[in-house]
PDB file of all heavy atoms in Angstrom:
ATOM      1  N   GLY A 101      22.445   0.729  -3.705  1.00 84.00           N
ATOM      2  CA  GLY A 101      22.338   1.842  -2.949  1.00 84.00           C
ATOM      3  C   GLY A 101      21.737   1.779  -1.632  1.00 84.00           C
ATOM      4  O   GLY A 101      22.069   2.506  -0.742  1.00 84.00           O
ATOM      5  N   ALA A 102      20.747   0.858  -1.426  1.00 84.00           N
ATOM      6  CA  ALA A 102      20.103   0.639  -0.104  1.00 84.00           C
ATOM      7  C   ALA A 102      21.206   0.127   0.953  1.00 84.00           C
ATOM      8  O   ALA A 102      21.072   0.693   2.016  1.00 84.00           O
ATOM      9  CB  ALA A 102      19.072  -0.436  -0.231  1.00 84.00           C
ATOM     10  N   ALA A 103      22.118  -0.728   0.486  1.00 85.00           N
ATOM     11  CA  ALA A 103      23.143  -1.137   1.442  1.00 85.00           C
ATOM     12  C   ALA A 103      24.088  -0.037   1.725  1.00 85.00           C
ATOM     13  O   ALA A 103      24.621   0.062   2.804  1.00 85.00           O
ATOM     14  CB  ALA A 103      23.884  -2.315   0.931  1.00 85.00           C
ATOM     15  N   GLN A 104      24.399   0.919   0.773  1.00 87.00           N
ATOM     16  CA  GLN A 104      25.312   1.927   0.939  1.00 87.00           C
ATOM     17  C   GLN A 104      24.777   3.015   1.947  1.00 87.00           C
ATOM     18  O   GLN A 104      25.485   3.505   2.799  1.00 87.00           O
ATOM     19  CB  GLN A 104      25.675   2.700  -0.392  1.00 87.00           C
ATOM     20  CG  GLN A 104      26.248   1.847  -1.444  1.00 87.00           C
ATOM     21  CD  GLN A 104      27.528   1.388  -1.160  1.00 87.00           C
ATOM     22  OE1 GLN A 104      28.412   2.103  -0.569  1.00 87.00           O
ATOM     23  NE2 GLN A 104      27.922   0.194  -1.380  1.00 87.00           N
ATOM     24  N   LEU A 105      23.433   3.144   1.997  1.00 89.00           N
ATOM     25  CA  LEU A 105      22.747   4.076   2.782  1.00 89.00           C
ATOM     26  C   LEU A 105      22.366   3.478   4.106  1.00 89.00           C
ATOM     27  O   LEU A 105      22.612   4.042   5.165  1.00 89.00           O
ATOM     28  CB  LEU A 105      21.604   4.705   2.085  1.00 89.00           C
ATOM     29  CG  LEU A 105      20.754   5.743   2.813  1.00 89.00           C
ATOM     30  CD1 LEU A 105      21.803   7.032   3.142  1.00 89.00           C
ATOM     31  CD2 LEU A 105      19.567   6.196   2.107  1.00 89.00           C
ATOM     32  N   PHE A 106      21.827   2.263   4.147  1.00 89.00           N
ATOM     33  CA  PHE A 106      21.342   1.601   5.295  1.00 89.00           C
ATOM     34  C   PHE A 106      22.140   0.558   5.964  1.00 89.00           C
ATOM     35  O   PHE A 106      21.768   0.076   6.980  1.00 89.00           O
ATOM     36  CB  PHE A 106      19.936   1.092   4.989  1.00 89.00           C
ATOM     37  CG  PHE A 106      18.927   2.168   4.676  1.00 89.00           C
ATOM     38  CD1 PHE A 106      18.580   2.357   3.468  1.00 89.00           C
ATOM     39  CD2 PHE A 106      18.206   2.690   5.807  1.00 89.00           C
ATOM     40  CE1 PHE A 106      17.554   3.402   3.223  1.00 89.00           C
ATOM     41  CE2 PHE A 106      17.344   3.668   5.486  1.00 89.00           C
ATOM     42  CZ  PHE A 106      16.918   4.124   4.257  1.00 89.00           C
ATOM     43  N   GLY A 107      23.352   0.237   5.326  1.00 85.00           N
ATOM     44  CA  GLY A 107      24.226  -0.743   5.863  1.00 85.00           C
ATOM     45  C   GLY A 107      23.762  -2.077   5.359  1.00 85.00           C
ATOM     46  O   GLY A 107      22.799  -2.286   4.564  1.00 85.00           O
ATOM     47  N   GLY A 108      24.415  -3.200   5.898  1.00 76.00           N
ATOM     48  CA  GLY A 108      24.304  -4.549   5.491  1.00 76.00           C
ATOM     49  C   GLY A 108      22.970  -4.986   6.009  1.00 76.00           C
ATOM     50  O   GLY A 108      22.355  -4.556   6.963  1.00 76.00           O
ATOM     51  N   SER A 109      22.489  -6.182   5.311  1.00 72.00           N
ATOM     52  CA  SER A 109      21.278  -6.697   5.776  1.00 72.00           C
ATOM     53  C   SER A 109      21.452  -7.677   6.901  1.00 72.00           C
ATOM     54  O   SER A 109      22.610  -7.817   7.391  1.00 72.00           O
ATOM     55  CB  SER A 109      20.613  -7.712   4.611  1.00 72.00           C
ATOM     56  OG  SER A 109      21.493  -8.669   4.284  1.00 72.00           O
ATOM     57  N   ARG A 110      20.439  -8.144   7.529  1.00 66.00           N
ATOM     58  CA  ARG A 110      20.639  -9.068   8.712  1.00 66.00           C
ATOM     59  C   ARG A 110      21.309 -10.228   8.438  1.00 66.00           C
ATOM     60  O   ARG A 110      22.099 -10.813   9.453  1.00 66.00           O
ATOM     61  CB  ARG A 110      19.111  -9.444   9.244  1.00 66.00           C
ATOM     62  CG  ARG A 110      18.368  -8.198   9.917  1.00 66.00           C
ATOM     63  CD  ARG A 110      17.130  -8.758  10.508  1.00 66.00           C
ATOM     64  NE  ARG A 110      16.277  -9.358   9.570  1.00 66.00           N
ATOM     65  CZ  ARG A 110      15.237 -10.014   9.841  1.00 66.00           C
ATOM     66  NH1 ARG A 110      14.801 -10.130  11.144  1.00 66.00           N
ATOM     67  NH2 ARG A 110      14.443 -10.593   8.928  1.00 66.00           N
ATOM     68  N   MET A 111      21.190 -10.763   7.197  1.00 68.00           N
ATOM     69  CA  MET A 111      22.013 -11.988   6.879  1.00 68.00           C
ATOM     70  C   MET A 111      23.505 -11.806   6.600  1.00 68.00           C
ATOM     71  O   MET A 111      24.230 -12.695   6.406  1.00 68.00           O
ATOM     72  CB  MET A 111      21.322 -12.584   5.688  1.00 68.00           C
ATOM     73  CG  MET A 111      19.942 -12.917   5.835  1.00 68.00           C
ATOM     74  SD  MET A 111      19.565 -14.202   7.045  1.00 68.00           S
ATOM     75  CE  MET A 111      20.390 -15.674   6.245  1.00 68.00           C
ATOM     76  N   ASP A 112      23.883 -10.438   6.455  1.00 68.00           N
ATOM     77  CA  ASP A 112      25.175 -10.126   6.173  1.00 68.00           C
ATOM     78  C   ASP A 112      26.037  -9.741   7.481  1.00 68.00           C
ATOM     79  O   ASP A 112      25.908  -8.569   7.885  1.00 68.00           O
ATOM     80  CB  ASP A 112      25.207  -8.949   5.178  1.00 68.00           C
ATOM     81  CG  ASP A 112      26.600  -8.768   4.501  1.00 68.00           C
ATOM     82  OD1 ASP A 112      27.490  -9.390   4.855  1.00 68.00           O
ATOM     83  OD2 ASP A 112      26.754  -7.815   3.631  1.00 68.00           O
ATOM     84  N   ASP A 113      26.814 -10.695   7.964  1.00 67.00           N
ATOM     85  CA  ASP A 113      27.512 -10.462   9.164  1.00 67.00           C
ATOM     86  C   ASP A 113      28.739  -9.503   8.840  1.00 67.00           C
ATOM     87  O   ASP A 113      29.074  -8.793   9.894  1.00 67.00           O
ATOM     88  CB  ASP A 113      28.061 -11.745   9.693  1.00 67.00           C
ATOM     89  CG  ASP A 113      27.031 -12.766  10.093  1.00 67.00           C
ATOM     90  OD1 ASP A 113      25.865 -12.238  10.392  1.00 67.00           O
ATOM     91  OD2 ASP A 113      27.321 -14.025  10.064  1.00 67.00           O
ATOM     92  N   ALA A 114      29.138  -9.337   7.636  1.00 68.00           N
ATOM     93  CA  ALA A 114      30.323  -8.401   7.444  1.00 68.00           C
ATOM     94  C   ALA A 114      29.768  -7.226   6.786  1.00 68.00           C
ATOM     95  O   ALA A 114      30.584  -6.461   6.154  1.00 68.00           O
ATOM     96  CB  ALA A 114      31.199  -9.124   6.452  1.00 68.00           C
ATOM     97  N   GLY A 115      28.521  -6.830   6.846  1.00 69.00           N
ATOM     98  CA  GLY A 115      27.942  -5.715   6.266  1.00 69.00           C
ATOM     99  C   GLY A 115      28.318  -4.407   6.863  1.00 69.00           C
ATOM    100  O   GLY A 115      28.671  -4.402   8.016  1.00 69.00           O
ATOM    101  N   GLU A 116      28.323  -3.367   6.150  1.00 78.00           N
ATOM    102  CA  GLU A 116      28.611  -1.969   6.719  1.00 78.00           C
ATOM    103  C   GLU A 116      27.600  -1.447   7.658  1.00 78.00           C
ATOM    104  O   GLU A 116      26.459  -1.847   7.642  1.00 78.00           O
ATOM    105  CB  GLU A 116      28.935  -0.978   5.607  1.00 78.00           C
ATOM    106  CG  GLU A 116      30.152  -1.387   4.750  1.00 78.00           C
ATOM    107  CD  GLU A 116      31.449  -1.186   5.361  1.00 78.00           C
ATOM    108  OE1 GLU A 116      31.490  -0.383   6.461  1.00 78.00           O
ATOM    109  OE2 GLU A 116      32.450  -1.773   4.984  1.00 78.00           O
TER     110      GLU A 116
END
Side-chain angles (χ1 to χ4, degrees):
Q104 298 296 320
L105 183 63
F106 292 96
S109 64
R110 289 186 300 172
M111 300 294 295
D112 191 0
D113 296 334
E116 295 289 339

